Amino acid sequence: MTKNTPEFPLAKLHFDNAFTRELPADPLLENMRRQVTGSCYSRVKPTKVAQPSLIAYAREVADLLDLDKDSCMSELFTEVFSGNSILTGMDPFAMCYGGHQFGNWAGQLGDGRAINLGEIVNSRDERWVLQLKGAGPTPYSRRADGLAVLRSSVREFLCSEAMYHLGVPTTRALSLIDTGEPVLRDMFYDGHPEEEPGAIVCRVAPSFLRFGNYEILASRGDKELLKRLADYTIKTDFPHLDQTAEDIYLQWFSEVCSRTARLIVHWMRVGFVHGVMNTDNMSILGLTIDYGPYGWLEDYDPEWTPNTTDSVGKRYAFSNQGLIAQWNLVQLANTLYPLINDATALQSTLDNAYTREFTSGWKTMMANKIGLDRFIDESDTHLIKELTDILQEAETDMTIFFRQLAKLDISETLDISQVPEQLIQAYYRPEQLTPVYLNRLHKWFKDYRHRFQAGSITNSARTALMDRTNPKYVLRNYLAQEAIDKAANGDNSGVHELLELLRRPYDEQPEMEKQYYRKRPEWARHKPGCSMLS
Ligand code: AMP
Ligand code: MG
C-alpha cells in the first residue's frame, strides 16, 4: 500500500473543520438511529467495506483538492474515499436536517447515508467539504441501511460532473468506488429485493447545507441555534455580505433567492429534471444537490417527470420546477421569519429576488436558445410560446432540435413541404409531420426570420450564441443506463467514456457524434432506468 508519507499529496491536505468546530455537536457518540436536538450534527465514522476498488475519479475535482493523478490512483486514495481509512485532520460527521417532502413536513431526516469527512482549504484558499455518500448508517438513517448501489452512484458521479461542465451550479464528485459488497434493494418496490453491487461516491462542495438544516431548528422552536447556524453560514459561505448590517438575514435570503432563480433557469435551459425537489434537497448555495431519480428531457414534454413515485401528481415535472423552487423558498422564508420578523420584507424579497429574477432569467435564456441576444416582450413572448407548443405537437428531441436549429441558415428560403434537413433527426415519429404541422412550423420560421431581420445580430453571432447556450451532449437517461450495465459486469469503460465526452458538452466532437449525438433509441422508451426511475 502507498504510504501516506509527508510528501504524498494526500498527506498534505490541509483540513480546517469549521463546521464541527463552530457548531454544537450531538453529545451521543453511539451510531444508533435517533432524534437529535440542540445540535447541528452527530460525529459518526464510515463503515468499513470488504474490497473497495476505484471505478473512476474526476481530475478537475482532484485539481480542486491539489491531488495529482498518482494520488488518485493510489491504494490509499481508494481506502480513504471508500471510508476504510480516516486521514489525520478529518472529523467525520452526519448533519441533522429536516424537510418538506412532496409538500408535507416530514420532520427530521438528516444525512442518512452521507458522511462528511472534513473540510479542506486548498492552495488557492478555497474551502471544500468532502462527503461520502453510501458509506454506512448514521443516526439519521431511520429505517434504511445507509448504503448506495452502483447504479445510483454512477448516475450521481457522472451527472455531477456533466452539470459542472454544462455551467450549471452543482455539488461535485471526486470519486466513484465499488465497495465489493452487495446491497439488497427492491428496485421496483414490488417485494422482490435483489442484491446489487454497492458503491460510494465522494461528493465535494463548499457546503452541503440545505434549506432543511434551518427548517429543522425552526420547527423545534430553537431560535438560538437557528441564529447560530445562519450566522455561521453567512460568515463562511457568504463572506461578501456585511454581517453587521441590520438587515443581514434579509440580504442573505435575497441572495439565496437569486441563486436559486439562476439555478432553475439553467435546469430549464439544458432540459434537466431533478425529480425530488424536496426542501431537504435544496442547497443553501443554489447548487444542484442529491442526484436521485433525476432525468433529462428527451422529447420536449414539460409535464415529464422521471420519478415513478411522482408519476400521478407530477409535482416535480420539468415545467413545474420554477414554481416548486418558489414554494421551497417560501418554506425557507417561514423558517427565517424569527430572525427577520418582517413578513412584508420577506414577501417582497421573494417577489423581487426570486420571481422576477427567475422570469427575466428564463426569458433571456429562451431568447438565447434561439440565438436572440435579448428578449423583447412584444415580439418574443409569442415567438417562444409558439415554439414550445410546436415542440410538443410532434415528439421532438429537445437537445437535438435546439442544437440543429443553429445550423439552419434562416436567410435561406425553405421548402415548406418538409422539415428542413438540418432538423429532421430531432423527430421521433415521422408520421406526426403532417401538412398541418409543417404549416405551423414554417409559419414559425417566417416569424423567426422577421425577428432577426428587425434586429442587428449576424448569422454567425446567432450561431455562436446558440452553440454556447444549447449543449450538444447531455447525460441522456439511456446512456447512463448503458454505462451502468457495463460497470455492473466489471467493465468501467462506459463510465470513463461518458465522463470524457461530457467534459466538453458544447464542442462538436465529431468523432463522438455517431454514438452519442442521437435521440433515445426505441428500445429505451419504456425500459426501467432509461425512462423512469424511483
Ligand atoms: P433523498 O430522497 O435521497 O433525498 O433522501 C431523503 C432522506 O432519506 C435523507 O435523509 C437521506 O439521507 C435518507 N436516505 C435515503 N436513502 C437512504 C439509505 N439508503 N440509507 C439511509 N438513509 C437514506
Ligand atoms: Mg436528499
Side-chain angles (χ1 to χ4, degrees):
M1 190 209 271
T2 318
K3 288 279 176 314
N4 200 16
T5 49
E7 60 282 4
F8 199 63
L10 273 169
K12 286 196 278 186
L13 289 176
H14 172 222
F15 287 97
D16 176 57
N17 301 312
F19 193 86
T20 52
R21 185 173 62 235
E22 297 187 20
L23 293 164
D26 172 6
L28 285 185
L29 291 176
E30 204 182 337
N31 190 358
M32 51 171 277
R33 276 77 161 168
R34 59 180 173 268
Q35 291 290 309
V36 174
T37 57
S39 22
C40 293
Y41 64 94
S42 307
R43 288 200 162 85
V44 59
K45 294 220 164 38
T47 303
K48 290 199 191 310
V49 295
Q51 232 184 3
S53 64
L54 181 71
I55 298 173
Y57 75 94
R59 60 174 181 260
E60 293 84 357
V61 185
D63 281 346
L64 294 177
L65 308 178
D66 306 314
L67 294 177
D68 58 11
K69 183 178 177 193
D70 286 347
S71 310
C72 296
M73 302 299 284
S74 69
E75 271 182 55
L76 181 64
F77 182 91
T78 298
E79 287 293 308
V80 170
F81 296 107
S82 63
N84 276 359
S85 293
I86 304 294
L87 293 173
T88 312
M90 286 178 167
D91 186 12
F93 67 98
M95 290 199 285
C96 179
Y97 56 79
H100 280 85
Q101 299 188 316
F102 293 90
N104 304 304
W105 175 243
Q108 178 182 299
L109 300 166
D111 285 330
R113 55 166 163 177
I115 296 180
N116 299 271
L117 294 174
E119 298 171 43
I120 281 177
V121 176
N122 71 9
S123 56
R124 291 173 297 283
D125 228 13
E126 298 160 348
R127 178 175 296 274
W128 293 102
V129 183
L130 307 180
Q131 183 183 78
L132 300 184
K133 183 165 174 181
T138 76
Y140 308 95
S141 297
R142 296 177 289 154
R143 284 171 303 281
D145 55 12
L147 304 175
V149 292
L150 181 68
R151 68 187 145 89
S152 59
S153 306
V154 168
R155 284 167 48 82
E156 171 127 25
F157 177 79
L158 286 176
C159 202
S160 308
E161 291 308 289
M163 291 289 260
Y164 167 74
H165 294 290
L166 283 165
V168 183
T170 178
T171 62
R172 306 292 301 275
L174 171 67
S175 54
L176 170 61
I177 291 176
D178 184 330
T179 60
E181 289 184 8
V183 174
L184 204 60
R185 278 288 181 281
D186 188 356
M187 182 172 173
F188 302 109
Y189 302 109
D190 62 356
H192 296 96
E194 278 183 32
E195 283 195 342
E196 294 187 47
I200 297 176
V201 170
C202 178
R203 309 197 285 194
V204 177
S207 163
F208 288 97
L209 283 164
R210 305 142 188 272
F211 292 5
N213 289 78
Y214 309 87
E215 283 183 284
I216 188 74
L217 302 175
S219 80
R220 290 166 171 168
D222 194 344
K223 183 178 162 189
E224 193 193 317
L225 191 50
L226 174 67
K227 181 173 183 311
R228 244 177 107 177
L229 183 61
D231 290 343
Y232 169 84
T233 309
I234 294 165
K235 186 176 91 177
T236 314
D237 294 305
F238 297 78
H240 49 282
L241 298 180
D242 173 11
Q243 273 190 278
T244 62
E246 206 175 315
D247 64 345
I248 178 64
Y249 301 115
L250 199 59
Q251 284 187 36
W252 171 49
F253 178 64
S254 174
E255 188 167 333
V256 177
C257 288
S258 309
R259 288 190 191 204
T260 305
R262 287 198 292 271
L263 174 70
I264 311 298
V265 169
H266 277 296
W267 289 0
M268 305 309 281
R269 172 174 64 84
V270 298
F272 177 78
V273 191
H274 183 286
V276 219
M277 289 178 70
N278 294 329
T279 55
D280 53 302
N281 291 336
M282 295 292 291
S283 147
I284 202 72
L285 294 182
L287 307 172
T288 314
I289 192 170
D290 277 9
Y291 292 90
Y294 69 83
W296 294 81
L297 280 197
E298 283 166 324
D299 60 287
Y300 184 83
D301 174 6
E303 307 258 289
W304 185 70
T305 169
N307 187 346
T308 38
T309 50
D310 191 25
S311 59
V312 178
K314 293 185 183 294
R315 180 180 172 88
Y316 298 139
F318 178 70
S319 61
N320 247 1
Q321 299 187 112
L323 271 179
I324 291 294
Q326 183 186 36
W327 191 91
N328 290 338
L329 285 162
V330 171
Q331 308 316 310
L332 184 64
N334 289 336
T335 294
L336 300 182
Y337 179 77
L339 305 181
I340 296 173
N341 286 311
D342 185 345
T344 316
L346 277 166
Q347 183 62 54
S348 68
T349 303
L350 197 58
D351 293 343
N352 292 316
Y354 182 76
T355 313
R356 272 173 53 177
E357 284 200 31
F358 175 74
T359 307
S360 72
W362 183 85
K363 287 178 176 176
T364 306
M365 176 277 287
M366 287 306 288
N368 292 171
K369 279 186 88 65
I370 59 169
L372 301 169
D373 56 354
R374 68 200 173 97
F375 185 99
I376 300 172
D377 279 327
E378 297 75 60
S379 54
D380 303 342
T381 305
H382 175 73
L383 196 65
I384 297 290
K385 170 79 172 65
E386 178 63 8
L387 176 61
T388 54
D389 285 353
I390 289 174
L391 287 176
Q392 292 168 70
E393 200 171 307
E395 221 177 283
T396 316
D397 191 272
M398 175 183 177
T399 303
I400 296 180
F401 182 89
F402 282 102
R403 188 74 187 188
Q404 290 300 113
L405 188 61
K407 298 195 172 27
L408 195 68
D409 181 353
I410 48 165
S411 60
E412 252 176 46
T413 330
L414 299 171
D415 173 1
I416 60 163
S417 70
Q418 54 188 6
V419 165
E421 58 169 347
Q422 292 90 338
L423 293 176
I424 195 75
Q425 58 175 302
Y427 291 92
Y428 281 92
R429 295 177 188 267
E431 72 276 14
Q432 292 177 329
L433 307 178
T434 60
V436 174
Y437 175 84
L438 289 168
N439 193 23
R440 194 170 176 189
L441 182 68
H442 281 283
K443 163 130 193 352
W444 186 82
F445 284 135
K446 207 168 132 205
D447 294 343
Y448 182 47
R449 185 181 301 126
H450 282 155
R451 172 68 174 82
F452 273 98
Q453 284 162 352
S456 56
I457 204 165
T458 63
N459 196 47
S460 65
R462 174 187 80 104
T463 312
L465 174 60
M466 290 174 83
D467 283 351
R468 61 176 188 269
T469 307
N470 302 314
K472 178 167 179 175
Y473 300 101
V474 296
L475 184 58
R476 290 174 182 273
N477 313 309
Y478 82 90
L479 290 177
Q481 190 57 41
E482 285 179 332
I484 290 165
D485 291 342
K486 272 189 176 179
N489 289 314
D491 174 2
N492 299 327
S493 64
V495 174
H496 297 156
E497 226 173 88
L498 283 177
L499 182 63
E500 198 57 44
L501 173 81
L502 298 169
R503 282 195 164 104
R504 296 183 290 128
Y506 300 97
D507 287 2
E508 288 295 329
Q509 305 192 59
E511 69 289 0
M512 305 305 263
E513 229 168 56
K514 202 158 161 261
Q515 194 177 354
Y516 294 114
Y517 189 50
R518 279 172 63 201
K519 55 182 182 273
R520 175 197 57 220
E522 276 312 302
W523 61 258
R525 184 180 284 271
H526 300 295
K527 188 174 183 289
C530 301
S531 54
M532 296 283 259
L533 287 141
S534 55

